[in-house]
Every structure is written in C-alpha cells, then in structure tokens.
Amino acid sequence: LWVPWGLMILGGIGWLFRGRMAGFGLLGGAVEKLALRFMSEEMRDGMERIRHSGELGRVIGWRLAKLSQRVAADFHGGAFVGLGAMVLFKRVGFFWETTTREAVGEGLEKLVGLMALPWSWRLGLPNVPDSRVSAAGWMEAGLGWWPFLLMALLVWGVLPRLIISWWAGFKERQLLAGLAFQAPHHRRLWRALNEVRRGEEPKGPVDG
C-alpha cells in the first residue's frame, strides 16, 4: 500500500505545483527529452501537436491519470486475490517482532485502528500485542490479521483508485465534450467531411 500511495502523492504534488517551481519544470524537461530519443517520428509529431494544443494536452493528461489509477487498482486487486487464495488454500499466519516492543507495538496498534475505522465495527481488529511472537507461534497468534489485510487492500488500495479513475474519466469526457473545434486543422477536417468548397482557405483565425 505505502509505495503506490507515496508515488501518487508525489505525482499529485508535481501536478499542483506544475509551472510554479523550477525543479519540477527541469525534471519534466529532462524526462521529455529522454522519452523523445526512444520515440518514432510519428510519435514525435504527435507530441508536437499536443505541445501546441492546450486542450489536447489536458485531455491526454486526464487520460493518463485514468489509466495509471486503473493499473494501480489492478495491482492491489491482484494482491487481494493472491492473499485471499493463500488464506483459503494454505495454512497462513502472521506475526511481528521487534527489539523496541513498547514503542513499535503502540504505534502499530494506533495505525491498525486508524486504517480499520471503515470496517472495524463489523470485523473487529487484529490483536496486535498478542501477535508479537516468534516464528514458532505465528499460526496461533496471527489468525486475526488476514481479514484486516484483505480489507486494507480493498478499502485503501482498490477503492480510492477506482474513484480517482472515474473522476479522471469524467474530466476527460467533459473536456472532449467542450472542444470548440475552431482551429485551422479542425476547419479543414470539417470541410473534408462535408465536401464544402468555398474558395481559398483563410490563413488566420476566423469567426463561426
């Protein structure tokens, strides 16, 4: 859970401060230059079109956000299925051990209670103090952990990603629905589709 959430928070910070901090701009430029080296000529042409179209850039940004969150949801869903299968078909238990028993135990108990708030009223909590044992006693002491771990993957792994993916898809559709289609290449497309011929095509911006 922690590594994907960390990456998403870093990405969110970069999105919020885009264009405001020099570091993010330099990093983005370096990544772009590196990516362009491995692209075909057709892909480079596509990148240039995106660069010169603010609307298209925003649409693709929301599309990438949607796809990345779907990948993250699949990742956590796979972890859920894998752990669930192990619990169902194998003999699985959990334990933890540390040299600083009091400090780590108290922190872990608070963290578990906080993460389990959405479902603890129904499924309860794992017994954190009793599950601090050696590997020899892991089956007897750690049985309460698997419902917590499965629910944590669903509630904090899959569900937020599906919500963010839905929101990004909604924003993408909203932008696509609001496109003005008034750029010169848009007008060329409409004329080609409607077979309209009205003399020379204007070079500059026109109304209508």
Side-chain angles (χ1 to χ4, degrees):
L1 288 170
W2 302 116
V3 172
W5 267 95
L7 291 173
M8 186 172 71
I9 290 170
L10 284 175
I13 292 171
W15 180 74
L16 286 172
F17 290 97
R18 66 195 185 281
R20 301 179 194 174
M21 295 179 68
F24 285 114
L26 291 172
L27 180 62
V31 171
E32 183 181 358
K33 285 180 181 178
L34 182 63
L36 286 172
R37 289 186 179 182
F38 298 97
M39 287 183 179
S40 64
E41 191 63 35
E42 185 179 357
M43 292 177 72
R44 287 181 188 144
D45 181 59
M47 287 294 293
E48 282 300 313
R49 290 176 183 273
I50 294 168
R51 191 198 304 277
H52 290 95
S53 171
E55 289 180 325
L56 184 57
R58 288 192 293 273
V59 168
I60 291 177
W62 284 115
R63 167 61 64 91
L64 291 175
K66 179 177 71 174
L67 293 177
S68 67
Q69 294 310 301
R70 285 185 178 177
V71 169
D74 290 343
F75 170 79
H76 290 100
F80 176 87
V81 171
L83 179 59
M86 289 184 69
V87 169
L88 285 173
F89 300 110
K90 290 181 175 287
R91 194 165 176 264
V92 181
F94 305 90
F95 73 97
W96 62 278
E97 56 184 354
T98 177
T99 54
T100 54
R101 177 173 183 171
E102 297 298 328
V104 175
E106 185 178 349
L108 184 59
E109 200 161 8
K110 287 180 180 178
L111 178 63
V112 167
L114 183 65
M115 291 181 67
L117 278 176
W119 68 85
S120 58
W121 60 275
R122 177 70 176 173
L123 298 177
L125 293 169
N127 192 322
V128 175
D130 286 353
S131 57
R132 182 196 175 274
V133 292
S134 65
W138 58 274
M139 276 306 302
E140 291 73 17
L143 291 175
W145 277 95
W146 68 264
F148 166 79
L149 294 172
L150 288 173
M151 289 303 297
L153 285 169
L154 278 181
V155 173
W156 300 110
V158 177
L159 185 60
R161 305 310 181 127
L162 292 179
I163 292 172
I164 298 171
S165 174
W166 174 85
W167 173 251
F170 168 75
K171 295 297 290 183
E172 178 195 8
R173 291 191 298 273
Q174 194 177 46
L175 280 171
L176 287 171
L179 288 176
F181 286 102
Q182 289 297 310
H185 55 281
H186 292 147
R187 293 196 295 275
R188 282 197 294 273
L189 173 62
W190 287 123
R191 289 192 178 97
L193 290 172
N194 293 296
E195 297 184 354
V196 175
R197 298 291 180 269
R198 294 180 179 173
E200 291 298 321
E201 188 174 323
K203 299 298 181 184
V206 295
D207 296 328

